[in-house]
Amino acid sequence: MKELICPNCNKPFSVNDADYAMLLSQVKNAEFQAEVTRRLGELRTQWQTEQRASTLAADNAHQQALNAKEKALQEKETQVRQLMERLNSYEQIKAAELSKVLVEKDQLIQQLRNEKSLAVMQEQQRLQTAIQQRDNAIRDLQSKQQLAASEAQIREQGIREDYEAKLRLAEEEVKRYKEFKMRLSTKMIGESLEIHCSTLFNRFLRQMLPNAYFEKDNDASSGSKGDFIFRDYDDGHEYISIMFEMKNEMDTTATKHKNEDFFAKLDKDRREKGCEYAILVSMLEPESELYNGGIVDVSYKYEKMYVIRPDFFLPIISLLVQTSKKSIEYQKQLAIAKSQSIDVTHFEEQLSDFKEKFGRNYRLASEKFHTAIDEIDKSITHLQKIKDALIGSENNLRLANDKAEELTIKRLTRGNPTMKAKFDEAGQTNL
C-alpha cells in the first residue's frame, strides 16, 4: 500500500501498488491529469458520502438519546404528578384529622370547663359544710372542755381513791409473794425433812400407787443404810426402785456440809440394797443456783443419781414412775427373749431409746419446774411494776388536766393549713 496526499484537501489516503503503478503510468501520458482529477472527485464523493453517513448516524444516536431523555423526563413528570396527587390527598386527610382534633379539643375544653365549674361549686359547698362543721366542732369542744374540766376533777378524786386502794392491795400482794418465795426455800427448817417427805408421799402418792413400797431403810447389816426405799410393782414385777437420802441443817450450824459429801455413801447404799435410782433430797447449800434451779442430774459422777430440793420430791417420783412404766413391756420382752434364747440386740436398742427418752423427759420436767420458779419471780416483778404504775398515775392525771386546760383553736388547727385559713378568715369577718 502506498500513501498519497490529496492536493485539494491535503488529507492523506492510501492506494495499492497497482493503482500506484497505474498513476505513475498515467503521469507519463497526456491523460494523467484528467485521471487524477477524476479519481480525486470519486474519492471526494466517497468521503462526502461517508461523512454524511457518519453525520446521519451521529444525528440518529443523538436523536435516540434525546428521545430517551424525553421519555425519562416524561416519567419523572408522571412521578411528580403522582407525588403531588398523593401530597394533596395527604394534606386533605391531615386537614380532616386536624379539624376533628380541633373539634374534640373544643369539646374537651368545654367538658373541662363544665367539670371545673361543678368542682368549684362542690368545693364551695364542701367549704361551707366544713365551716359549719368547724363552728359545730368549736362549740362542741368548748362545751366538752367545760364538761371535761368538771369531770376531770371528779375522776381525779375517784382515781386517787381507787389508786390508794390498789396500791394497798399491791403492797400486800408483793409482801405475800415475797413471804411465799422465802417459805419456798426455808420451809423445812425447824421440822424433820424425813417426816415431811413421808407425809407428802402418803398424802398425795399413796392412792395413785397402791402397790408401791415406801418405807425407811432399817437394814444396817452392811454398815450403813439410807433413809427411805421406794419400790413399785406391776403384776408382781418390780419395775422401779429408788434409794432416798434426806439431808438438812440449820442456818446456825457451824460446819456447813455440801451435797457432794454424801454422793459416795448414797451410791453405796443404792447398790447394796439393789435399787435402780439414787436421790438426795437436800436443803444444803441454800444459796446454790445449781441446786435451786430444779432437778440436778449428777449421773456423770454416780450412775442414776439426782439431787433435788424438797419441792421436787413428788414430781421426780411421778416422773421416774411414768418413764419406768414404759420400760415394763421392754422388760417382759427381755424375759421372753431369755427364755426362748433369742437375740436381745433389739431389746438393747429399745432400752437405749428408752434411756434417751427418759433423759429428754427429765430435761423437759426440769425446764418446767424452773419455769414455774421464774414465773413466781416474774409475778413479783409484775406486781412491783403495777405499784410503780399506780404511783405514776397521779402525774398522768395532772398532765391530762393541764393539756385539757391548754386546748386552743391554734393547737387544733396545727398541721391543717385549710382549717387554719378558715379560722383566720372567720376571725377577720368577726372583726
Side-chain angles (χ1 to χ4, degrees), residues 140-245:
D140 291 341
L141 287 173
Q142 290 175 349
S143 60
K144 288 180 180 179
Q145 182 179 2
Q146 295 174 356
L147 180 61
S150 59
E151 290 180 350
Q153 295 178 354
I154 298 173
R155 284 198 305 271
E156 181 179 359
Q157 182 64 27
I159 291 174
R160 182 177 287 107
E161 295 175 355
D162 185 59
Y163 154 74
E164 292 175 353
K166 288 182 177 179
L167 182 60
R168 288 192 299 271
L169 292 175
E171 289 175 347
E172 294 175 357
E173 190 70 17
V174 169
K175 182 178 179 182
R176 185 165 59 254
Y177 270 97
K178 287 182 178 180
E179 291 177 351
F180 172 75
K181 187 176 181 182
M182 182 177 62
R183 288 196 304 269
L184 187 65
S185 61
T186 61
K187 180 179 180 181
M188 301 305 113
I189 297 177
E191 70 174 289
S192 172
L193 184 56
E194 296 179 8
I195 296 175
H196 172 75
C197 293
S198 178
T199 302
L200 286 177
F201 182 88
N202 292 322
R203 181 179 178 185
F204 296 102
L205 293 180
R206 178 59 67 184
Q207 295 179 354
M208 297 174 58
L209 305 172
N211 298 324
Y213 170 87
F214 183 75
E215 299 292 340
K216 287 185 64 66
D217 181 16
N218 296 318
D219 183 7
S221 58
S222 61
S224 66
K225 62 184 182 66
D227 289 330
F228 281 90
I229 294 177
F230 169 81
R231 301 180 189 273
D232 198 13
Y233 304 87
D234 181 82
D235 294 334
H237 175 73
E238 179 183 306
Y239 68 92
I240 185 174
S241 58
I242 305 173
M243 171 63 71
F244 283 98
E245 184 79 16

Side-chain angles (χ1 to χ4, degrees), residues 13 226 258 312 353 371 401:
F13 62 93
K258 294 185 178 181
F312 295 94
D353 181 63
T371 301
N401 186 56

Side-chain angles (χ1 to χ4, degrees), residues 20-33 36:
Y20 183 73
M22 185 178 62
L23 288 174
L24 289 176
S25 65
Q26 287 178 357
V27 171
K28 294 178 180 180
N29 54 42
E31 296 179 355
F32 176 74
Q33 187 65 37
V36 170

